[in-house]
């Protein structure tokens, strides 16, 4: 099969799909799927009209994805903004799709990426940001995953750990990103908890509930971001907090600690504090130590530096920060905060401005820009 022919036809096929009404990102995904199908089918019988074949298959792929996205949105519309406690009703097969996409023939990271794109509805850019890799790298990873499973039977579901990772990333995107999927992730995790008796399933559900409980307080009436320390804790949902803490306590009692339980324990300590000043930062640092042992994640180490700065003073936080890669997302924002607390507004203002330029969304960028402006205005007085 002539792969050079495929490459030469791709721009024209993409243009046709866009003219038919597909948005560019969806058209790219559909053409990519069509090329994978061509790689599978054409060696046996290459069509006479190669471009026409690609256009037809790509358009069908686009329509299939559009229908899947529409169905997902309808499912989300059925979910109340604040998910009800207790078992979730058995209303659709979305969770089964998560397991099927986590196919044993894929590596866990590839399975997560594929499921987020195919079922979760996230874009390649959003998935790349979650994994801290370039968008082109993630696009290649998803393409390889699609090629891997293109010829296999989807009769071997993947493992729980992979599905939990997908649900966690979907929730994070819905909680802090520009796609509202948080409630859907909670619904699916509730459903998973009724099917699987595993402490990490409970840990993830508790983590989601404790974070979701703060949803109403995370933004001001004008849509601007409100950091945790400044949130009106009277607006936190005490019902969700109580449910999350109860689920977490039951999971921890089984003495099979995992990363989601550790994260939930940190969230529970924040929820337990009546004011920001009453936060038990010493315990939070201890839980971050556990989380570092479990994951060795640079993002966890970054968050630990913040907690250490609160528990032992900003210089302790800055010392921990110095051991990390300054290209980490939000590194500059953390450094700015710690330098401000250490009495260095000039450095803090410069770092807040740098962090604003790198911010992943408009609300965070506006908040960081205001912080830089506040410090600069204070220095001019």
């Amino acid at each position: 099969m002539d792969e050079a022919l495929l490459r030469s036809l791709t721009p024209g096929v993409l243009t046709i799909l866009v003219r038919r009404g597909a948005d560019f990102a969806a058209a790219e995904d559909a053409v990519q799927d069509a090329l994978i199908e061509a790689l599978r089918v054409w060696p046996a019988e290459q069509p006479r009209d190669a471009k026409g074949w690609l256009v037809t298959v790509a358009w069908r792929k686009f329509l299939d994805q559009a229908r899947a996205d529409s169905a997902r949105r309808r499912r989300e519309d059925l979910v109340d903004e604040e998910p009800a406690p207790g078992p979730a009703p058995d209303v659709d097969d979305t969770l089964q799709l998560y397991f099927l996409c986590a196919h044993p023939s894929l590596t866990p990271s590839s399975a997560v990426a594929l499921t987020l794109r195919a079922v979760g509805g996230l874009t390649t850019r959003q998935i790349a940001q979650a994994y801290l890799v370039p968008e082109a790298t993630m696009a290649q990873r998803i393409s390889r995953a699609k090629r891997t499973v293109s010829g296999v039977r989807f009769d071997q579901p993947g493992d729980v750990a992979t599905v939990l990772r997908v649900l966690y990333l979907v929730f994070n995107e819905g909680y802090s990103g520009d796609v509202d999927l948080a409630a859907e992730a909670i619904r699916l995790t509730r459903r998973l908890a009724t099917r699987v008796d595993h402490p990490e399933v409970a840990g993830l559900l508790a983590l989601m509930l404790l974070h979701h409980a703060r949803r109403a307080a995370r933004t001001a009436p004008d849509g601007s971001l409100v950091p945790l320390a400044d949130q009106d804790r009277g607006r936190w949902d005490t019902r969700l907090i109580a449910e999350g803490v109860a689920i977490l306590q039951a999971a921890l009692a089984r003495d099979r600690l995992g990363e989601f339980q550790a994260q939930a324990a940190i969230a529970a300590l924040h929820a337990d504090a009546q004011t920001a000043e009453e936060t038990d930062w010493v315990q939070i640092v201890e839980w971050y130590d556990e989380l570092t042992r479990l994951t060795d994640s640079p993002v966890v180490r970054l968050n630990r530096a913040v907690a250490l700065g609160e528990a032992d003073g900003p210089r302790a936080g800055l010392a921990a920060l110095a051991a990390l890669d300054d290209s980490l997302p939000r590194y500059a924002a953390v450094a700015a905060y710690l330098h401000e607390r250490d009495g260095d507004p000039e450095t803090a203002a410069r770092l807040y401005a740098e962090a604003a330029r790198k911010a992943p969304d408009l609300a965070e960028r506006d908040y960081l820009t205001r912080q830089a402006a506040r410090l600069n205005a204070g220095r001019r007085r």
Side-chain angles (χ1 to χ4, degrees):
M1 185 183 62
D2 190 350
E3 293 190 16
L5 173 63
L6 282 177
R7 288 194 296 271
S8 68
L9 293 174
T10 298
V13 175
L14 183 59
T15 298
I16 291 172
L17 262 64
V18 171
R19 286 175 178 171
R20 287 186 178 184
D23 68 84
F24 190 80
E28 279 189 317
D29 285 339
V31 172
Q32 190 176 75
D33 288 343
L35 293 176
I36 292 171
E37 186 72 6
L39 290 170
R40 186 179 70 84
V41 173
W42 286 14
E45 184 179 0
Q46 184 167 326
R48 292 180 181 178
D49 181 4
K51 184 175 181 179
W53 188 97
L54 284 172
V55 168
T56 299
V57 173
W59 184 248
R60 287 174 181 167
K61 297 287 186 182
F62 166 73
L63 292 177
D64 288 344
Q65 184 59 49
R67 283 192 289 268
D69 288 345
S70 177
R72 176 177 54 78
R73 285 192 294 271
R74 285 197 300 272
R75 289 195 300 270
E76 292 168 17
D77 290 341
L78 295 174
V79 181
D80 291 334
E81 184 174 352
E82 301 298 341
D90 191 4
V91 294
D92 62 58
D93 59 357
T94 307
L95 191 59
Q96 183 63 19
L97 291 176
Y98 274 65
F99 273 99
L100 291 177
C101 283
H103 197 273
S105 64
L106 297 172
T107 64
S109 61
S110 293
V112 170
L114 177 62
T115 314
L116 288 171
R117 185 69 191 93
V119 186
L122 273 64
T123 67
T124 303
R125 176 184 59 81
Q126 291 164 333
I127 301 168
Q129 288 176 343
Y131 269 90
L132 308 181
V133 300
E135 184 174 350
T137 300
M138 183 53 65
Q140 292 173 356
R141 184 179 299 177
I142 294 172
S143 294
R144 286 195 298 269
K146 289 178 178 179
R147 286 197 298 270
T148 298
V149 301
S150 62
V152 301
R153 289 173 56 84
F154 279 83
D155 55 0
Q156 293 180 275
D159 66 351
V160 173
T162 300
V163 174
L164 287 177
R165 177 63 50 191
V166 174
L167 290 169
Y168 174 65
L169 292 174
V170 169
F171 176 81
N172 277 350
E173 189 60 41
Y175 181 73
S176 60
D178 53 10
V179 178
D180 188 5
L181 295 171
E184 170 73 351
I186 291 174
R187 183 185 72 82
L188 291 172
T189 306
R190 284 192 188 282
R191 193 168 177 213
L192 182 60
T194 67
R195 295 184 176 189
V196 178
D197 182 23
H198 192 289
E200 273 294 81
V201 177
L204 178 58
L205 179 56
L207 175 63
M208 289 178 173
L209 294 174
L210 289 164
H211 278 306
H212 206 64
R214 303 200 297 260
R215 184 186 184 103
R218 289 185 68 247
T219 54
D222 63 359
S224 60
L225 187 66
V226 180
L228 177 61
D230 298 333
Q231 287 177 15
D232 177 0
R233 300 183 180 219
R235 300 184 66 197
W236 289 1
D237 189 323
T238 55
R239 175 182 60 83
L240 286 181
I241 290 173
E243 184 188 3
V245 168
I247 291 171
L248 173 63
Q249 288 174 338
L252 291 175
R254 300 176 67 175
D255 198 24
R256 291 170 57 192
L257 183 65
E259 63 174 296
F260 294 125
Q261 294 169 72
Q263 288 190 59
I266 293 168
L269 286 167
H270 283 296
D272 187 54
Q274 295 298 308
T275 65
E277 292 72 25
E278 295 176 62
T279 304
D280 190 343
W281 287 107
V282 173
Q283 271 205 71
I284 288 176
V285 171
E286 291 173 356
W287 277 110
Y288 271 121
D289 289 339
E290 288 288 343
L291 196 52
T292 300
R293 180 182 61 80
L294 290 166
T295 67
D296 196 28
S297 162
V299 175
V300 170
R301 292 182 183 275
L302 185 70
N303 291 331
R304 180 185 178 276
V306 177
L308 194 62
E310 298 289 352
D312 295 344
R315 295 201 176 180
L318 287 168
L321 194 64
L324 301 177
D325 185 346
D326 62 6
S327 66
L328 277 172
R330 297 186 172 89
Y331 179 100
V334 170
Y337 174 74
L338 292 172
H339 276 289
E340 181 183 359
R341 289 201 60 229
D342 195 38
D344 185 358
E346 183 177 355
T347 300
R350 175 178 57 79
L351 288 167
Y352 274 129
E354 177 186 335
R357 291 192 295 270
K358 299 177 179 178
D361 58 68
L362 182 61
E364 187 171 337
R365 183 170 73 235
D366 288 347
Y367 169 77
L368 293 167
T369 300
R370 287 196 302 273
Q371 295 298 96
R374 172 180 58 81
L375 292 178
N376 285 326
R379 288 167 49 217
R380 287 194 292 269
R381 289 184 188 136

